[in-house]
Amino acid sequence: MKISPVKGTRDFYPTDMAVRNFIVDGWKKVSLRNGFEEYDGPIFEYLKMFQIKSGDEIVEQLFSLTDRGGRDLALRPEMTPTLARMVNQRINALSRPIKWFSVPRLFRAERPQKGRLREFFQWNIDIIGVDQTTADAEIIFTTIDYLRQTGLTPQDVKVRISSRRLLAAVLKSYGIPADQLDALYAVLDKKAKLPIETFEQMLSEQVPDRQTLDKIVTFINIDSMSALEDVIQAESEEAAAFSEVKAVFATLKAMGVGDYCIYDPSIVRGLAYYTGIVFEVHEAGGELRAICGGGRYDNLLRDFGGPAISATGMGMGDCVLEILLREKGLLGESIAQKRLDYFVAFAEGYGGDTVYRIVAELRSRGLSAAFSYKAKAGLSKQFKEASAQNAGKCVIVGDEFKDHKLVVKDMTTGEQVLVDYDEFLSGLDTT
Ligand code: HAM
């Protein structure tokens, strides 16, 4: 019986794994240099944890299960609820601000499409316990710091920044009741993902009054800070929210990444818990789904039974990112190759224990080393094996070993030298 992989999952063959590691290693390195500490949680949680505040879209996409004790569980579709639960659990013991990162494996029963799968990895960075917009700017800066180090330029990717608080104030001034906001956000979030007619149809179901609908559409199409400034009422909730947006842009400019950032009020975010600054990164061409998204969620810890502590963060999946890096030629060919420091070959009549001893010696010094499993392979066959494994050097055990000497062949230049075995060992580069 032939068994296929489950729809929306990936097999990571060694070359794919090398790419995944390249991405994950980059995320970790950038997190650490921006002052984040790593954490992790369980891969499944109580189902209800994701039903409280993630929003309908996530709830519809949950992989849920019932354990033997009849408990309703779900595979984690995102990390933020786990983070909120973990922080609440130790709130008095953790020193603040909390700056944590994680790279969880997540599951969402989405319709598989380019850049969206049912199992994926997502880099999370979050800052908990800082009210000021500097924390939002730090999250955005760290995101850009990663993108920039991969080689992506402001011409390739754009960070689209907006504010849920500002949008809420504007919608309130248009007469939208507070209890309709979540449903409206869910529709507005679909603007870039749906054909315009479908989007407008969905919007008109939420906002039947034509004049109000037109005002909303005009607002979410504003495309510059100066145009936004013109419509903001002085000394209002809108003005307070607008000053937060301005502060974030000013900090990002000071940190030298302003050219990656633009204001875009149509960024609303699909998840229900965001309360303030929100952002997404999109490929400049706009072809692909969002590379990442995040924002401020000041009520989530309280909604999970903890104290009212503010938080802001971001999640970046590996799928769209990988497509983009590949398209831009930023995944070096060398990533996908196995590399070996030494291949230990033997000339006719030698081999066996001597080869194993040298291989073990090299490995004990932290170098990668291999040998041929074919006991009777000739030297040229062994060189082929060494090349296939990308060995940097080949050590040849032959007649000279009687005098405690080895031939070392550089696999790039082909140059061969005869060396004393002890000198060879003491001269090894184990850095
Ligand atoms: P999200 O917008 O649901 O936010 O997901 C963030 C990112 O995860 C997306 O932009 C995308 O890169 C990736 N992603 C989401 N779904 C899939 C999928 N089915 N396949 C591949 N990649 C996917 C969150 O998850 C928030 N919890 C992020 C956050 C952290 N906000 C604050 N802290």
Side-chain angles (χ1 to χ4, degrees), residues 78-144:
E78 58 158 335
M79 197 62 180
T80 318
T82 300
L83 171 67
R85 180 181 64 66
M86 285 171 63
V87 169
N88 275 346
Q89 223 159 255
R90 298 228 178 137
I91 195 69
N92 295 321
L94 296 167
S95 58
R96 282 181 242 159
I98 293 162
K99 276 180 87 170
W100 285 2
F101 81 94
S102 192
V103 183
R105 184 188 280 260
L106 302 181
F107 307 86
R108 294 187 191 180
E110 284 211 43
R111 184 174 59 79
Q113 53 187 290
K114 199 175 178 193
R116 287 291 180 275
L117 295 172
R118 295 192 166 170
E119 185 194 37
F120 59 100
F121 294 86
Q122 191 196 59
W123 175 38
N124 280 251
I125 44 171
D126 289 271
I127 302 178
I128 297 176
V130 184
D131 291 335
Q132 295 93 311
T133 52
T134 27
D136 304 282
E138 267 274 78
I139 293 290
I140 298 173
F141 175 81
T142 306
T143 305
I144 299 173

Side-chain angles (χ1 to χ4, degrees), residues 342 365 404-406 408 418-429:
Y342 286 94
R365 290 162 188 251
H404 214 62
K405 286 187 169 39
L406 292 166
V408 179
L418 186 68
V419 288
D420 178 78
Y421 183 45
D422 291 331
E423 278 172 26
F424 166 70
L425 290 180
S426 58
L428 287 171
D429 180 7

Side-chain angles (χ1 to χ4, degrees), residues 116 140 143 147 157-162 188-190 192-193 260-262 264 266-271 274 277-283 288-295 314-315:
R116 287 291 180 275
I140 298 173
T143 305
L147 296 169
V157 288
K158 281 283 173 251
V159 184
R160 300 177 167 276
I161 303 170
S162 167
L188 291 176
D189 177 60
K190 300 223 157 47
K193 301 170 197 157
Y260 278 89
C261 305
I262 51 175
D264 180 351
S266 71
I267 297 300
V268 182
R269 309 284 296 123
L271 296 157
Y274 293 110
I277 295 292
V278 283
F279 74 98
E280 286 180 3
V281 178
H282 290 257
E283 169 229 354
L288 297 165
R289 295 278 303 266
I291 300 167
C292 71
M314 180 289 304

